[in-house]
Amino acid sequence: MITPAGYRRTEPGENPRLDWREYESTRKRVPIHAPIRLEHTLSEITGPRTWAVATPADADLTHFNGGEALGERIIVAGRVLDDNGRPLPDTLIEIWQANSAGRYAHEVDTHDAPLDPHYSGVGRVITDAHGAYRFTTIKPGAYPWRNHPNAWRPAHIHFSLFGPAFATRLVTQMYFAGDPLLLLDPIFNSIPDQSARNRLVAAFDLGTTMPGYALGYRFDFVLRGPEGTPAG
Amino acid sequence: MTMSYGRTPSQTIGPFFHRALVRNGGNDLTARGAAGVQIVIEGRVIDGDGLPVADAMVEIWQANAAGRYDHPEDRQDKRLDPNFHGFGRTATDAEGYFRFRTVKPGPVRETGDFTQAPHINVSIFARGLLNRLVTRIYFPDEPLNATDPVLSAVPGPRRPTLIARRVGEELANRFSFDVILQGGAETVFLDL
Protein backbone atom coordinates (compact mmCIF):
# COMPACT_ATOMS: atom_id res chain seq x y z
CA MET A 1 0.00 0.00 0.00
CA ILE A 2 1.46 3.35 -1.00
CA THR A 3 -0.29 6.52 0.08
CA PRO A 4 0.69 9.32 -2.31
CA ALA A 5 2.07 12.61 -1.01
CA GLY A 6 -0.26 15.07 0.70
CA TYR A 7 -1.28 18.53 -0.38
CA ARG A 8 0.78 21.64 0.28
CA ARG A 9 -0.11 23.56 3.45
CA THR A 10 -1.32 27.13 3.18
CA GLU A 11 0.97 29.87 4.51
CA PRO A 12 0.01 32.08 7.46
CA GLY A 13 -1.79 35.19 6.25
CA GLU A 14 -3.06 33.90 2.93
CA ASN A 15 -6.42 32.81 4.32
CA PRO A 16 -8.73 34.87 6.53
CA ARG A 17 -8.28 34.99 10.27
CA LEU A 18 -11.26 33.01 11.52
CA ASP A 19 -11.49 35.20 14.63
CA TRP A 20 -11.67 38.45 12.65
CA ARG A 21 -13.94 40.34 15.02
CA GLU A 22 -14.74 43.18 12.62
CA TYR A 23 -16.97 40.59 10.97
CA GLU A 24 -19.62 40.39 13.67
CA SER A 25 -20.99 36.95 12.78
CA THR A 26 -17.65 35.33 13.64
CA ARG A 27 -18.01 35.99 17.35
CA LYS A 28 -20.20 33.10 18.44
CA ARG A 29 -19.25 30.76 15.63
CA VAL A 30 -15.48 30.59 15.65
CA PRO A 31 -13.76 27.83 17.63
CA ILE A 32 -11.64 28.85 20.62
CA HIS A 33 -9.32 25.84 20.45
CA ALA A 34 -6.67 25.72 17.75
CA PRO A 35 -7.39 23.04 15.15
CA ILE A 36 -5.38 19.84 15.41
CA ARG A 37 -2.91 19.32 12.62
CA LEU A 38 -3.76 16.36 10.46
CA GLU A 39 -1.17 14.58 8.33
CA HIS A 40 -2.85 13.86 5.04
CA THR A 41 -4.20 10.37 4.55
CA LEU A 42 -6.23 8.79 1.77
CA SER A 43 -9.21 10.61 3.26
CA GLU A 44 -7.76 14.04 2.38
CA ILE A 45 -6.03 13.28 -0.92
CA THR A 46 -9.18 11.77 -2.36
CA GLY A 47 -12.38 13.74 -2.77
CA PRO A 48 -15.68 13.89 -4.54
CA ARG A 49 -15.22 13.91 -8.27
CA THR A 50 -17.49 15.99 -10.41
CA TRP A 51 -20.86 14.42 -9.75
CA ALA A 52 -22.92 17.19 -11.28
CA VAL A 53 -23.57 17.95 -14.89
CA ALA A 54 -23.55 21.47 -16.26
CA THR A 55 -25.27 22.43 -19.48
CA PRO A 56 -24.38 25.54 -21.51
CA ALA A 57 -27.57 27.11 -20.10
CA ASP A 58 -26.16 26.70 -16.58
CA ALA A 59 -23.25 28.95 -17.58
CA ASP A 60 -25.55 31.74 -18.79
CA LEU A 61 -27.26 33.45 -15.87
CA THR A 62 -28.69 36.22 -18.04
CA HIS A 63 -31.67 34.19 -19.24
CA PHE A 64 -34.12 32.83 -16.70
CA ASN A 65 -37.78 32.04 -16.53
CA GLY A 66 -38.43 32.89 -20.16
CA GLY A 67 -36.87 36.33 -20.16
CA GLU A 68 -33.71 38.36 -20.03
CA ALA A 69 -32.22 39.65 -16.77
CA LEU A 70 -31.83 43.38 -16.18
CA GLY A 71 -28.45 44.95 -15.56
CA GLU A 72 -24.99 45.12 -17.01
CA ARG A 73 -24.10 41.85 -18.78
CA ILE A 74 -20.59 40.60 -18.02
CA ILE A 75 -18.48 37.61 -18.90
CA VAL A 76 -16.26 36.05 -16.25
CA ALA A 77 -13.62 33.68 -17.56
CA GLY A 78 -10.37 32.16 -16.41
CA ARG A 79 -8.71 28.94 -15.38
CA VAL A 80 -8.57 26.70 -12.37
CA LEU A 81 -4.99 25.73 -11.56
CA ASP A 82 -3.19 24.09 -8.69
CA ASP A 83 -0.33 25.92 -6.99
CA ASN A 84 2.16 24.03 -9.16
CA GLY A 85 0.59 25.82 -12.12
CA ARG A 86 -1.11 22.70 -13.38
CA PRO A 87 -4.55 23.20 -14.96
CA LEU A 88 -7.39 21.33 -13.26
CA PRO A 89 -9.85 19.93 -15.80
CA ASP A 90 -13.35 18.65 -14.97
CA THR A 91 -13.70 20.76 -11.86
CA LEU A 92 -17.16 21.87 -10.85
CA ILE A 93 -17.61 25.58 -10.14
CA GLU A 94 -20.88 26.58 -8.50
CA ILE A 95 -21.88 30.23 -8.64
CA TRP A 96 -24.32 32.47 -6.76
CA GLN A 97 -24.77 36.21 -6.51
CA ALA A 98 -27.12 39.14 -6.01
CA ASN A 99 -28.90 40.73 -8.97
CA SER A 100 -27.99 44.10 -10.47
CA ALA A 101 -29.96 45.87 -7.73
CA GLY A 102 -28.06 44.09 -4.96
CA ARG A 103 -30.81 41.62 -4.03
CA TYR A 104 -30.55 37.85 -3.75
CA ALA A 105 -33.36 35.61 -4.87
CA HIS A 106 -33.40 34.12 -1.36
CA GLU A 107 -36.04 34.29 1.36
CA VAL A 108 -33.68 35.61 4.05
CA ASP A 109 -32.66 38.60 1.94
CA THR A 110 -34.86 41.47 3.12
CA HIS A 111 -33.00 44.30 1.38
CA ASP A 112 -35.48 46.80 -0.05
CA ALA A 113 -34.35 46.43 -3.65
CA PRO A 114 -36.28 44.82 -6.50
CA LEU A 115 -36.12 41.15 -7.38
CA ASP A 116 -35.72 40.37 -11.05
CA PRO A 117 -38.11 37.62 -12.22
CA HIS A 118 -35.62 36.81 -14.96
CA TYR A 119 -32.59 36.44 -12.75
CA SER A 120 -31.95 33.62 -10.27
CA GLY A 121 -28.30 34.46 -9.64
CA VAL A 122 -27.42 30.75 -9.68
CA GLY A 123 -25.16 28.98 -12.15
CA ARG A 124 -22.57 26.28 -12.59
CA VAL A 125 -19.82 25.43 -14.99
CA ILE A 126 -17.28 22.63 -15.29
CA THR A 127 -13.70 23.37 -16.37
CA ASP A 128 -12.62 22.02 -19.75
CA ALA A 129 -9.57 19.89 -20.56
CA HIS A 130 -7.33 22.97 -20.10
CA GLY A 131 -8.85 23.97 -16.77
CA ALA A 132 -10.69 26.87 -18.42
CA TYR A 133 -14.17 28.09 -17.55
CA ARG A 134 -16.41 30.89 -18.72
CA PHE A 135 -19.85 32.14 -17.79
CA THR A 136 -22.12 35.06 -18.58
CA THR A 137 -23.95 36.92 -15.86
CA ILE A 138 -25.14 40.33 -14.67
CA LYS A 139 -22.79 42.55 -12.70
CA PRO A 140 -24.05 42.24 -9.11
CA GLY A 141 -25.03 45.34 -7.16
CA ALA A 142 -23.64 46.35 -3.78
CA TYR A 143 -26.01 45.90 -0.84
CA PRO A 144 -26.30 47.00 2.78
CA TRP A 145 -25.89 44.55 5.66
CA ARG A 146 -26.19 44.82 9.40
CA ASN A 147 -22.57 44.23 10.39
CA HIS A 148 -21.95 47.81 11.54
CA PRO A 149 -23.59 51.21 10.95
CA ASN A 150 -23.82 52.04 7.25
CA ALA A 151 -22.19 48.75 6.24
CA TRP A 152 -22.27 47.79 2.54
CA ARG A 153 -20.88 44.71 0.87
CA PRO A 154 -18.85 45.44 -2.26
CA ALA A 155 -20.16 43.85 -5.44
CA HIS A 156 -19.15 40.19 -5.39
CA ILE A 157 -19.83 36.76 -6.85
CA HIS A 158 -19.74 33.64 -4.66
CA PHE A 159 -17.94 30.51 -5.87
CA SER A 160 -17.70 26.94 -4.65
CA LEU A 161 -15.01 24.61 -6.07
CA PHE A 162 -13.92 21.08 -5.31
CA GLY A 163 -10.67 20.42 -7.13
CA PRO A 164 -9.21 16.92 -7.07
CA ALA A 165 -9.29 16.19 -3.33
CA PHE A 166 -11.04 16.81 -0.02
CA ALA A 167 -8.00 18.97 0.82
CA THR A 168 -8.58 21.30 -2.14
CA ARG A 169 -12.17 22.29 -1.36
CA LEU A 170 -12.67 26.06 -1.67
CA VAL A 171 -15.56 28.45 -1.13
CA THR A 172 -14.73 32.05 -1.90
CA GLN A 173 -15.90 35.37 -3.33
CA MET A 174 -14.71 37.38 -6.32
CA TYR A 175 -14.68 41.18 -6.28
CA PHE A 176 -14.30 43.87 -8.94
CA ALA A 177 -11.27 46.12 -9.39
CA GLY A 178 -11.76 49.73 -8.34
CA ASP A 179 -14.70 49.13 -6.01
CA PRO A 180 -14.41 51.78 -3.25
CA LEU A 181 -16.25 49.50 -0.81
CA LEU A 182 -13.44 46.94 -0.81
CA LEU A 183 -11.30 48.90 1.64
CA LEU A 184 -14.24 49.08 4.05
CA ASP A 185 -15.34 45.45 3.83
CA PRO A 186 -14.59 43.31 6.91
CA ILE A 187 -14.95 40.08 4.94
CA PHE A 188 -12.42 41.11 2.27
CA ASN A 189 -10.14 42.61 4.93
CA SER A 190 -10.14 39.41 6.99
CA ILE A 191 -7.27 38.16 4.80
CA PRO A 192 -4.09 39.50 6.45
CA ASP A 193 -1.80 39.28 3.44
CA GLN A 194 -2.54 42.08 1.01
CA SER A 195 -1.32 40.28 -2.08
CA ALA A 196 -3.45 37.26 -1.19
CA ARG A 197 -6.44 39.55 -0.66
CA ASN A 198 -5.92 41.15 -4.04
CA ARG A 199 -6.07 37.74 -5.69
CA LEU A 200 -9.83 37.90 -5.08
CA VAL A 201 -10.17 40.97 -7.29
CA ALA A 202 -11.08 40.29 -10.91
CA ALA A 203 -9.40 42.37 -13.59
CA PHE A 204 -11.24 43.92 -16.49
CA ASP A 205 -10.04 42.24 -19.68
CA LEU A 206 -10.65 43.60 -23.14
CA GLY A 207 -9.74 40.23 -24.65
CA THR A 208 -12.60 38.55 -22.76
CA THR A 209 -15.00 41.34 -23.64
CA MET A 210 -17.51 40.42 -26.38
CA PRO A 211 -17.80 43.35 -28.78
CA GLY A 212 -21.23 44.91 -28.71
CA TYR A 213 -22.44 42.49 -26.03
CA ALA A 214 -20.70 42.27 -22.64
CA LEU A 215 -17.60 43.43 -20.75
CA GLY A 216 -15.16 40.70 -19.79
CA TYR A 217 -13.38 39.95 -16.52
CA ARG A 218 -10.53 37.50 -15.92
CA PHE A 219 -10.42 35.49 -12.76
CA ASP A 220 -8.16 32.49 -12.13
CA PHE A 221 -8.59 30.15 -9.19
CA VAL A 222 -5.49 28.56 -7.67
CA LEU A 223 -6.10 25.56 -5.42
CA ARG A 224 -3.59 23.73 -3.24
CA GLY A 225 -1.35 21.38 -5.19
CA PRO A 226 0.32 18.09 -4.28
CA GLU A 227 3.46 18.50 -2.24
CA GLY A 228 6.85 17.66 -3.67
CA THR A 229 5.89 18.43 -7.24
CA PRO A 230 8.12 20.95 -9.01
CA ALA A 231 6.44 24.15 -10.14
CA GLY A 232 5.25 23.98 -13.71
CA MET B 1 12.18 26.05 -2.03
CA THR B 2 10.00 25.62 -5.07
CA MET B 3 8.04 28.52 -6.41
CA SER B 4 4.33 28.13 -6.17
CA TYR B 5 1.43 30.03 -7.64
CA GLY B 6 -0.44 32.23 -5.19
CA ARG B 7 -3.43 30.33 -3.89
CA THR B 8 -6.92 31.78 -3.89
CA PRO B 9 -8.01 32.66 -0.34
CA SER B 10 -11.22 31.43 1.23
CA GLN B 11 -14.21 33.64 2.05
CA THR B 12 -17.39 32.92 3.96
CA ILE B 13 -20.22 31.05 2.26
CA GLY B 14 -22.62 33.71 3.65
CA PRO B 15 -26.35 33.13 4.18
CA PHE B 16 -27.54 32.99 0.54
CA PHE B 17 -26.07 29.73 -0.81
CA HIS B 18 -29.07 27.41 -0.66
CA ARG B 19 -30.43 27.67 -4.19
CA ALA B 20 -27.02 27.26 -5.73
CA LEU B 21 -25.67 24.46 -3.58
CA VAL B 22 -28.34 22.48 -1.77
CA ARG B 23 -30.61 20.08 -3.57
CA ASN B 24 -33.25 17.68 -2.36
CA GLY B 25 -31.79 14.25 -1.83
CA GLY B 26 -28.23 15.52 -1.45
CA ASN B 27 -28.19 14.03 2.04
CA ASP B 28 -29.12 10.49 0.94
CA LEU B 29 -26.02 8.63 -0.27
CA THR B 30 -27.91 5.34 -0.51
CA ALA B 31 -30.51 6.38 -3.09
CA ARG B 32 -28.92 4.21 -5.79
CA GLY B 33 -28.82 1.11 -3.65
CA ALA B 34 -25.35 1.22 -2.11
CA ALA B 35 -23.91 -1.98 -0.65
CA GLY B 36 -23.36 -2.22 3.09
CA VAL B 37 -25.06 -1.39 6.34
CA GLN B 38 -27.36 1.59 6.01
CA ILE B 39 -26.99 4.15 8.74
CA VAL B 40 -28.55 7.50 9.62
CA ILE B 41 -26.44 10.26 11.14
CA GLU B 42 -28.19 13.28 12.52
CA GLY B 43 -27.06 16.16 14.61
CA ARG B 44 -27.11 19.86 15.19
CA VAL B 45 -24.72 22.67 14.54
CA ILE B 46 -24.56 24.77 17.73
CA ASP B 47 -22.89 28.14 18.35
CA GLY B 48 -20.99 29.50 21.36
CA ASP B 49 -24.21 30.53 23.09
CA GLY B 50 -25.67 27.05 22.69
CA LEU B 51 -28.03 28.30 19.99
CA PRO B 52 -28.74 26.41 16.77
CA VAL B 53 -26.95 27.52 13.60
CA ALA B 54 -29.79 27.59 11.09
CA ASP B 55 -27.76 28.64 8.06
CA ALA B 56 -24.87 26.16 7.92
CA MET B 57 -24.00 23.77 5.11
CA VAL B 58 -22.61 20.37 6.03
CA GLU B 59 -20.74 18.17 3.54
CA ILE B 60 -19.52 14.62 4.03
CA TRP B 61 -16.97 12.54 2.14
CA GLN B 62 -16.40 8.90 2.96
CA ALA B 63 -15.17 5.51 1.83
CA ASN B 64 -17.63 2.80 0.82
CA ALA B 65 -18.60 -0.16 2.97
CA ALA B 66 -15.39 -1.95 1.98
CA GLY B 67 -13.26 1.04 3.01
CA ARG B 68 -12.42 2.30 -0.46
CA TYR B 69 -12.80 5.85 -1.74
CA ASP B 70 -14.28 6.38 -5.18
CA HIS B 71 -11.22 8.24 -6.43
CA PRO B 72 -8.21 7.34 -8.61
CA GLU B 73 -5.69 8.05 -5.82
CA ASP B 74 -7.17 5.22 -3.74
CA ARG B 75 -5.32 2.14 -4.98
CA GLN B 76 -6.29 -0.24 -2.20
CA ASP B 77 -7.09 -3.70 -3.41
CA LYS B 78 -10.78 -3.43 -2.52
CA ARG B 79 -13.87 -3.29 -4.61
CA LEU B 80 -15.52 -0.07 -5.74
CA ASP B 81 -19.28 0.14 -5.41
CA PRO B 82 -20.80 1.51 -8.64
CA ASN B 83 -23.80 2.65 -6.59
CA PHE B 84 -21.90 4.60 -3.98
CA HIS B 85 -19.82 7.72 -4.56
CA GLY B 86 -19.29 8.88 -1.01
CA PHE B 87 -20.28 12.55 -1.17
CA GLY B 88 -23.23 14.19 0.57
CA ARG B 89 -24.31 17.74 1.20
CA THR B 90 -27.13 19.32 3.15
CA ALA B 91 -28.12 22.54 4.91
CA THR B 92 -29.11 22.82 8.56
CA ASP B 93 -32.78 23.53 9.25
CA ALA B 94 -34.30 26.25 11.45
CA GLU B 95 -33.32 24.30 14.59
CA GLY B 96 -29.80 23.67 13.37
CA TYR B 97 -30.40 20.02 12.49
CA PHE B 98 -28.79 18.12 9.65
CA ARG B 99 -29.27 14.49 8.66
CA PHE B 100 -27.54 12.04 6.32
CA ARG B 101 -28.54 8.56 5.21
CA THR B 102 -25.47 6.64 4.11
CA VAL B 103 -23.66 3.34 4.59
CA LYS B 104 -21.16 2.67 7.32
CA PRO B 105 -17.68 3.15 5.84
CA GLY B 106 -15.09 0.39 6.16
CA PRO B 107 -11.58 0.89 7.58
CA VAL B 108 -9.04 2.49 5.23
CA ARG B 109 -5.54 1.03 5.01
CA GLU B 110 -2.61 3.42 4.59
CA THR B 111 1.11 3.28 3.90
CA GLY B 112 3.20 1.57 6.55
CA ASP B 113 0.38 -0.82 7.27
CA PHE B 114 -1.55 1.43 9.57
CA THR B 115 -5.29 1.42 9.31
CA GLN B 116 -7.73 4.25 9.82
CA ALA B 117 -10.81 3.38 11.82
CA PRO B 118 -14.13 3.79 9.97
CA HIS B 119 -14.86 7.49 9.74
CA ILE B 120 -16.65 10.16 7.74
CA ASN B 121 -14.90 13.40 6.75
CA VAL B 122 -16.96 16.51 7.40
CA SER B 123 -16.79 20.14 6.20
CA ILE B 124 -18.88 22.84 7.84
CA PHE B 125 -19.56 26.14 6.09
CA ALA B 126 -21.60 29.03 7.51
CA ARG B 127 -22.06 32.74 7.70
CA GLY B 128 -19.45 33.88 10.21
CA LEU B 129 -16.99 31.17 9.16
CA LEU B 130 -14.40 32.76 6.88
CA ASN B 131 -13.06 29.32 6.03
CA ARG B 132 -14.65 25.89 6.33
CA LEU B 133 -14.21 23.87 9.50
CA VAL B 134 -13.16 20.25 9.07
CA THR B 135 -13.87 17.43 11.46
CA ARG B 136 -14.45 13.67 11.39
CA ILE B 137 -17.23 11.41 12.55
CA TYR B 138 -16.01 8.15 14.12
CA PHE B 139 -18.20 5.34 15.42
CA PRO B 140 -18.61 3.96 18.95
CA ASP B 141 -17.42 0.46 19.87
CA GLU B 142 -14.84 0.27 17.10
CA PRO B 143 -11.69 -1.57 18.17
CA LEU B 144 -9.70 0.31 15.50
CA ASN B 145 -10.45 3.63 17.22
CA ALA B 146 -7.76 2.77 19.76
CA THR B 147 -5.02 2.89 17.11
CA ASP B 148 -6.46 5.42 14.68
CA PRO B 149 -3.76 8.02 13.93
CA VAL B 150 -6.10 11.01 13.93
CA LEU B 151 -7.97 10.08 17.10
CA SER B 152 -4.62 9.39 18.75
CA ALA B 153 -3.45 12.94 17.96
CA VAL B 154 -6.41 14.40 19.88
CA PRO B 155 -6.04 14.93 23.64
CA GLY B 156 -8.03 12.23 25.47
CA PRO B 157 -10.65 14.49 27.08
CA ARG B 158 -11.65 16.00 23.72
CA ARG B 159 -11.66 12.72 21.76
CA PRO B 160 -15.33 11.93 22.50
CA THR B 161 -16.38 14.99 20.45
CA LEU B 162 -15.35 13.03 17.35
CA ILE B 163 -17.30 9.88 18.15
CA ALA B 164 -20.95 9.63 17.16
CA ARG B 165 -23.41 8.40 19.78
CA ARG B 166 -25.70 5.51 19.05
CA VAL B 167 -29.38 6.43 19.19
CA GLY B 168 -31.85 3.68 20.10
CA GLU B 169 -31.11 -0.02 19.75
CA GLU B 170 -28.11 -1.41 17.92
CA LEU B 171 -30.05 -2.70 14.91
CA ALA B 172 -31.55 0.71 14.24
CA ASN B 173 -28.14 1.97 13.08
CA ARG B 174 -28.93 5.54 14.00
CA PHE B 175 -26.21 7.84 15.22
CA SER B 176 -26.12 11.34 16.59
CA PHE B 177 -23.25 13.77 16.04
CA ASP B 178 -23.46 17.39 17.11
CA VAL B 179 -21.04 20.01 15.84
CA ILE B 180 -20.36 22.52 18.61
CA LEU B 181 -18.58 25.44 17.03
CA GLN B 182 -17.38 27.18 20.18
CA GLY B 183 -17.13 26.74 23.94
CA GLY B 184 -16.24 24.18 26.58
CA ALA B 185 -17.70 21.23 24.72
CA GLU B 186 -16.33 22.48 21.40
CA THR B 187 -15.93 19.85 18.68
CA VAL B 188 -12.37 19.04 17.68
CA PHE B 189 -11.58 20.61 14.32
CA LEU B 190 -8.72 19.54 12.10
CA ASP B 191 -6.09 21.58 10.31
CA LEU B 192 -5.57 20.19 6.84
Side-chain angles (χ1 to χ4, degrees), chain B residues 46-180:
Chain B
I46 303 286
D47 76 9
D49 284 335
L51 297 172
V53 175
D55 55 4
M57 183 171 85
V58 182
E59 287 182 349
I60 61 172
W61 167 242
Q62 65 165 95
N64 68 19
R68 175 149 179 200
Y69 286 101
D70 179 17
H71 189 278
E73 292 287 2
D74 187 340
R75 294 162 195 148
Q76 295 176 93
D77 183 20
K78 294 174 176 175
R79 66 183 169 74
L80 280 171
D81 177 353
N83 297 314
F84 186 79
H85 301 300
F87 175 69
R89 175 194 267 179
T90 193
T92 53
D93 68 15
E95 278 78 49
Y97 280 99
F98 64 89
R99 170 189 293 201
F100 290 99
R101 181 181 298 278
T102 182
V103 296
K104 187 168 175 197
V108 175
R109 206 149 72 84
E110 301 280 336
T111 317
D113 256 1
F114 78 80
T115 299
Q116 299 198 71
H119 67 278
I120 295 175
N121 308 288
V122 183
S123 300
I124 295 118
F125 303 84
R127 173 175 62 83
L129 294 178
L130 286 157
N131 203 340
R132 67 169 166 165
L133 297 176
V134 172
T135 187
R136 287 182 171 199
I137 301 172
Y138 284 86
F139 294 89
D141 311 320
E142 279 290 337
L144 283 168
N145 285 352
T147 52
D148 181 86
V150 176
L151 279 180
S152 305
V154 174
R158 300 193 65 208
R159 223 170 279 162
T161 70
L162 297 183
I163 299 173
R165 284 177 295 117
R166 194 179 280 285
V167 180
E169 58 193 79
E170 194 169 335
L171 283 176
N173 286 309
R174 294 181 83 84
F175 296 91
S176 142
F177 185 87
D178 289 338
V179 177
I180 298 171

Side-chain angles (χ1 to χ4, degrees), chain A:
Chain A
M1 243 344 289
I2 302 291
T3 305
Y7 278 81
R8 198 169 277 125
R9 302 256 159 191
T10 54
E11 303 286 337
E14 73 175 55
N15 267 314
R17 283 188 55 163
L18 286 185
D19 61 348
W20 185 248
R21 296 176 68 83
E22 288 181 24
Y23 176 25
E24 189 72 27
S25 299
T26 58
R27 297 190 181 198
K28 295 297 177 185
R29 293 186 166 193
V30 168
I32 292 162
H33 291 88
I36 290 176
R37 183 184 161 105
L38 173 64
E39 300 309 325
H40 293 172
T41 68
L42 274 179
S43 304
E44 290 75 37
I45 66 164
T46 62
R49 288 182 294 167
T50 300
W51 75 95
V53 291
T55 66
D58 293 324
D60 181 2
L61 286 71
T62 63
H63 291 81
F64 181 70
N65 209 9
E68 214 172 341
L70 291 172
E72 180 189 345
R73 267 192 304 260
I74 59 169
I75 290 158
V76 181
R79 290 193 301 164
V80 182
L81 309 168
D82 72 14
D83 61 21
N84 299 308
R86 231 177 246 121
L88 298 173
D90 298 319
T91 285
L92 176 66
I93 305 176
E94 293 164 291
I95 302 158
W96 68 105
Q97 63 166 90
N99 69 20
S100 62
R103 176 89 186 261
Y104 286 88
H106 191 291
E107 60 271 22
V108 308
D109 188 351
T110 54
H111 176 35
D112 179 21
L115 284 167
D116 181 345
H118 299 302
Y119 192 72
S120 75
V122 167
R124 54 162 73 163
V125 60
I126 294 172
T127 58
D128 70 13
H130 310 288
Y133 77 92
R134 175 189 189 85
F135 66 95
T136 308
T137 187
I138 296 293
K139 192 169 183 193
Y143 57 83
W145 60 315
R146 284 171 299 192
N147 192 71
H148 56 273
N150 205 11
W152 292 77
R153 290 295 334 271
H156 62 278
I157 300 179
H158 294 266
F159 291 100
S160 162
L161 291 88
F162 285 84
F166 185 71
T168 59
R169 183 85 177 90
L170 176 71
V171 169
T172 191
Q173 301 181 26
M174 183 201 92
Y175 302 94
F176 293 86
D179 190 332
L181 294 171
L182 279 176
L183 292 173
L184 305 173
D185 183 45
I187 294 181
F188 181 67
N189 287 328
S190 67
I191 302 160
D193 182 272
Q194 192 181 345
S195 58
R197 206 183 304 154
N198 289 336
R199 292 200 286 271
L200 295 181
V201 181
F204 166 70
D205 182 43
L206 194 60
T208 304
T209 296
M210 277 177 75
Y213 188 73
L215 294 183
Y217 289 86
R218 290 286 305 178
F219 192 73
D220 290 340
F221 296 93
V222 179
L223 307 182
R224 299 162 73 179
E227 225 162 17
T229 318

